[in-house]
Amino acid sequence: MKQYNLAFLGFGNVGRALARLLVAKSVELREQYGIEWRITGVASRSLGWLTKDGANAAEGFDPGSLLSAQTLKESAVSSAGIDGWLRQSQPDVVFETTSLNHETGQPAIDYLRATLEAGAHAITANKGVIVHGFSILSELSQAAGKRLFFESTVLDSAPVFSLFRETLPAAKLRGFSGAFSSTTNVIIETMEAGRSFEEGLKTAQDLGVAETDPSHDVDGWDATVKVCAIANVLMGVKLRPIDVAREGIRGLDARKVQAARTAGAPFKLMARARLGRDGDLVATVRPEQVPISDPLGNIRGTSLGVHFELDMMPGLTITSHRPNLQSTAYGMLADFINAVRTDRP
Amino acid sequence: MKQYNLAFLGFGNVGRALARLLVAKSVELREQYGIEWRITGVASRSLGWLTKDGANAAEGFDPGSLLSAQTLKESAVSSAGIDGWLRQSQPDVVFETTSLNHETGQPAIDYLRATLEAGAHAITANKGVIVHGFSILSELSQAAGKRLFFESTVLDSAPVFSLFRETLPAAKLRGFSGAFSSTTNVIIETMEAGRSFEEGLKTAQDLGVAETDPSHDVDGWDATVKVCAIANVLMGVKLRPIDVAREGIRGLDARKVQAARTAGAPFKLMARARLGRDGDLVATVRPEQVPISDPLGNIRGTSLGVHFELDMMPGLTITSHRPNLQSTAYGMLADFINAVRTDRP
């Protein structure tokens, strides 16, 4: 049995769902995986850099007070920034869920750099980090003997990176296609039903699937960042969002959308990447008519999926049906268990 | 770098595809995984129990001669049965691909028992073994500190068991549905096109997807055995084929099959298992009309898929598109790499 100090960098919806999940699964973690845990650090824009003394505190933050945030500030020491916060809370694992920056991945990359340098496993749900910082952070994680895991970044929780890392050894990824955007799915399906783009966007926002800035989804940035994350991690390339031929769904004509649906090949915002014969990767994100017989053809609404073409298998599709906040949090919990079970004593 | 002695128990299509794959991937195995290998044992009904001296032979069987089977018999020592064969070939890993026995799993279970007792990892593509021998063999594998892996048994190569073992820790499987039978898919689709059951069966046989005895597919035994394998391994129950409510596709009426297709909800041989509130597992295999919007609704032809319901995710679907012999062999290669990378020196 080992007790792990956990620290949350960002404590919005996903971080809070993860805290609830840790409580809900605590017996199982102890009995099946020999994992005890306490929370010694919580940082967010509204809370500041809160810590318990990771070396001496008998107990960490009480998850109940954490979630209600009532008595929290009084009971915690506040540090001045990431370095003091890591020094004080002495985390074995940091869960990073700060806001996405599509363009630079910052400041999350610097935070995770400090995390790995402080000797903690770095677990992030932040796509921007992987697109812009994968190479430097993965070198750092190897040097530190700590894990950098990020299973929640693409399909919310369905295994993508651990799938290749653990279950598909010696297989080469030649290309993939993805239906990566719930928001555009919901908008297009609303338009198929004869309603407007704006009504669709409103529906996506009500469902809680739209990004804070919906243009990230609508203009295909979100899908583009996912393409880069998969390509960079699983195909060993260095693809930047700017390298992807990107077209969003703003230009879609309502009548064409309805006609496509009637013809059995509805529009979807499709992401694709494929190695050409010359070894170059061609990547696109754009609205396409996808027949229902396509491997991703029956993905609708808030479901997400990715189809892989491998040297060893003609096609392997992973679909995550209507993932919710708990699923996303579970992706991080799975990363936590998988990170610490490779720890050598 | 470690050299592994490999032994093939059964050397039909899958075993031979695996031997070819080992040759094709040998540089990658060496450079990425530190794995060198040689073949020190091959046994099949037509070849008998052939071995090289696992302790002293500088080289194993030449894979080229093995595949042509020309000069094989002359160059090999023949042993009297499984025990002598294991003693002589001293395998680190045994690949078992002998014929399926739906009713007892024998003699493969005894072979794998001897394999684990002899201190080798046991890798099998044989569903019968898992259904009838999982409990005893998995105890034995734990006692021996060796792996019992069988990724090729359900979807030919797409990860199912390693998916749960490695990528979905602390998640509970509540139920699943599967489209597990290419043969029945092909027969039903032939009938949809206005041709006969027999023509469909002939097509499946020409495609090489039908079992040696097609009644195993047509009467739902094959799908039933897969349901039992998944339920027993991933849900910790002891489901026997006889416990599954089973109905094959012989009773399907050609006109109904065509009408179902026209209505957008074609027939499929669907396998299902689900934990009830009382903790009992209810399992069925029977033809059902499956709407195209179902998670398994667009699986056609020789593709296979399984849809999981988990406590942590509303739904996770894995689809393997048109797997071929090489995919099945790859499932065993992946098991080999995953087995030896957990070896402690």
Side-chain angles (χ1 to χ4, degrees):
Chain A
M1 199 69 63
K2 164 154 187 197
Q3 189 172 56
Y4 294 91
N5 289 344
L6 309 182
F8 288 74
L9 199 39
F11 202 62
N13 289 336
V14 173
R16 299 163 71 87
L18 176 58
R20 276 192 294 272
L21 194 54
L22 282 161
V23 173
K25 287 275 183 186
S26 54
V27 174
E28 215 162 328
L29 287 172
R30 190 167 52 240
E31 290 178 359
Q32 279 186 35
Y33 298 95
I35 292 175
E36 301 257 22
W37 57 270
R38 60 182 176 185
I39 299 174
T40 58
V42 184
S44 76
R45 238 173 301 194
S46 60
L47 294 169
W49 299 93
L50 304 185
T51 63
K52 296 275 184 178
D53 180 342
N56 300 311
E59 294 185 13
F61 287 101
D62 169 50
S65 328
L66 246 191
L67 289 164
S68 68
Q70 303 255 337
T71 53
L72 196 60
K73 282 211 160 185
E74 298 134 48
S75 71
V77 179
S78 191
S79 73
I82 181 82
D83 293 320
W85 183 77
L86 288 168
R87 213 162 32 239
Q88 184 70 16
S89 57
Q90 303 208 358
D92 299 295
V93 178
V94 170
F95 298 108
E96 193 271 316
T97 57
T98 65
S99 341
L100 172 60
N101 179 325
H102 284 114
E103 273 142 50
T104 67
Q106 289 294 14
I109 293 174
D110 287 342
Y111 292 163
L112 292 177
R113 213 168 155 150
T115 295
L116 290 163
E117 282 168 349
H121 296 299
I123 292 170
T124 177
N126 195 327
K127 297 181 278 285
V129 165
I130 302 311
V131 172
H132 298 284
F134 177 66
S135 165
I136 175 90
L137 290 174
S138 97
E139 273 170 37
L140 208 51
S141 84
Q142 275 162 35
K146 295 293 156 183
R147 302 289 92 68
L148 168 72
F149 283 171
F150 40 86
E151 200 57 88
S152 296
T153 51
V154 173
L155 295 189
D156 284 0
S157 63
V160 172
F161 300 107
S162 58
L163 187 83
F164 276 80
R165 194 175 67 229
E166 305 293 346
T167 77
L168 297 170
K172 280 205 183 72
L173 182 58
R174 289 181 169 156
F176 61 91
S177 50
F180 289 145
S181 169
S182 318
T183 299
T184 57
N185 264 2
V186 170
I187 293 174
I188 292 171
E189 288 165 32
T190 306
M191 292 169 73
E192 287 170 358
R195 287 181 290 140
S196 70
F197 179 99
E198 286 69 26
E199 286 173 290
L201 179 55
K202 174 83 175 43
T203 306
Q205 283 167 331
D206 292 347
L207 287 169
V209 297
E211 295 271 335
T212 324
D213 176 352
S215 66
H216 286 174
D217 298 306
V218 167
D219 296 329
W221 281 113
D222 195 62
T224 296
V225 167
K226 288 182 177 181
V227 169
C228 295
I230 294 181
N232 293 352
V233 177
L234 299 180
M235 301 172 91
V237 297
K238 296 202 174 183
L239 188 73
R240 296 162 307 170
I242 205 174
D243 302 326
V244 177
R246 183 185 47 78
E247 183 192 330
I249 64 160
R250 286 189 207 267
L252 279 183
D253 176 80
R255 266 168 308 182
K256 273 196 193 160
V257 166
Q258 291 177 41
R261 170 70 171 157
T262 310
F267 276 101
K268 266 188 184 36
L269 185 70
M270 289 295 286
R272 297 186 188 275
R274 171 169 262 285
L275 279 174
R277 284 209 195 139
D278 52 4
D280 273 7
L281 191 82
V282 178
T284 56
V285 168
R286 64 187 173 209
E288 292 181 22
Q289 283 193 251
V290 181
I292 206 101
S293 58
D294 185 274
L296 302 176
N298 66 351
I299 291 179
R300 309 273 297 166
T302 60
S303 298
L304 304 169
V306 57
H307 177 74
F308 295 111
E309 291 163 50
L310 304 161
D311 63 340
M312 293 287 105
M313 289 182 215
L316 174 65
T317 312
I318 311 292
T319 311
S320 176
H321 296 267
R322 298 177 302 284
N324 50 34
L325 258 187
Q326 180 182 277
S327 328
T328 308
Y330 171 71
M332 301 190 86
L333 178 73
D335 280 345
F336 166 37
I337 298 172
N338 283 330
V340 304
R341 69 178 167 182
T342 62
D343 274 337
R344 294 285 167 272
Chain B
M1 199 69 64
K2 162 151 190 199
Q3 188 170 55
Y4 294 91
N5 289 344
L6 309 181
F8 287 75
L9 198 41
F11 202 62
N13 288 336
V14 174
R16 298 162 70 87
L18 176 58
R20 276 191 295 271
L21 193 55
L22 282 161
V23 173
K25 287 276 183 187
S26 54
V27 174
E28 215 162 328
L29 287 172
R30 189 165 56 237
E31 291 178 358
Q32 279 187 33
Y33 299 94
I35 292 175
E36 302 257 20
W37 55 271
R38 61 182 174 185
I39 300 174
T40 58
V42 183
S44 75
R45 240 174 299 197
S46 61
L47 294 168
W49 299 93
L50 304 185
T51 64
K52 295 276 183 176
D53 180 342
N56 300 310
E59 295 186 11
F61 288 101
D62 169 51
S65 325
L66 245 190
L67 289 164
S68 69
Q70 302 256 335
T71 52
L72 196 60
K73 283 213 159 184
E74 298 135 47
S75 72
V77 179
S78 192
S79 73
I82 182 79
D83 293 320
W85 184 76
L86 289 167
R87 211 159 36 237
Q88 183 71 16
S89 57
Q90 304 209 355
D92 298 295
V93 179
V94 170
F95 298 108
E96 192 270 318
T97 57
T98 64
S99 340
L100 172 59
N101 179 324
H102 284 114
E103 274 143 50
T104 66
Q106 291 291 14
I109 293 174
D110 287 342
Y111 292 162
L112 292 178
R113 212 169 156 149
T115 294
L116 290 164
E117 283 168 348
H121 295 299
I123 292 169
T124 177
N126 195 328
K127 296 181 278 287
V129 165
I130 302 312
V131 173
H132 298 283
F134 176 66
S135 163
I136 175 90
L137 290 174
S138 96
E139 273 171 35
L140 209 51
S141 84
Q142 275 163 34
K146 295 292 157 183
R147 302 287 94 68
L148 168 72
F149 283 171
F150 39 86
E151 200 57 87
S152 297
T153 51
V154 172
L155 295 187
D156 283 1
S157 62
V160 172
F161 300 108
S162 58
L163 187 82
F164 277 81
R165 194 175 67 228
E166 305 292 348
T167 78
L168 297 171
K172 281 204 184 72
L173 182 57
R174 290 181 170 158
F176 61 91
S177 51
F180 289 147
S181 168
S182 318
T183 299
T184 57
N185 264 1
V186 170
I187 293 174
I188 291 171
E189 288 164 32
T190 306
M191 290 167 75
E192 286 169 358
R195 287 180 291 140
S196 70
F197 179 99
E198 286 70 27
E199 286 172 291
L201 179 56
K202 174 83 174 45
T203 305
Q205 283 168 330
D206 292 348
L207 287 168
V209 296
E211 295 272 334
T212 325
D213 177 353
S215 66
H216 286 175
D217 298 307
V218 168
D219 296 328
W221 280 112
D222 196 60
T224 296
V225 167
K226 288 182 177 181
V227 169
C228 295
I230 294 181
N232 293 352
V233 176
L234 299 181
M235 301 172 90
V237 296
K238 294 200 173 184
L239 188 73
R240 298 163 305 171
I242 205 174
D243 302 325
V244 178
R246 181 185 49 77
E247 183 191 331
I249 64 160
R250 285 189 210 267
L252 279 183
D253 176 79
R255 266 169 307 181
K256 273 197 192 158
V257 166
Q258 291 177 41
R261 170 70 170 155
T262 308
F267 276 101
K268 269 189 184 28
L269 185 71
M270 289 296 285
R272 298 188 188 273
R274 172 168 260 287
L275 279 174
R277 284 209 196 139
D278 52 3
D280 273 8
L281 191 82
V282 178
T284 55
V285 167
R286 63 187 173 211
E288 292 179 23
Q289 281 193 251
V290 180
I292 206 100
S293 59
D294 185 273
L296 302 175
N298 67 350
I299 292 179
R300 309 272 298 166
T302 59
S303 297
L304 304 169
V306 59
H307 177 73
F308 295 111
E309 290 163 51
L310 303 162
D311 62 343
M312 294 286 105
M313 290 181 216
L316 173 66
T317 313
I318 311 291
T319 312
S320 176
H321 297 267
R322 298 176 302 282
N324 50 35
L325 257 187
Q326 181 183 277
S327 327
T328 308
Y330 170 70
M332 302 189 84
L333 179 71
D335 280 344
F336 166 37
I337 298 171
N338 283 330
V340 303
R341 67 179 168 180
T342 61
D343 275 337
R344 296 283 168 272

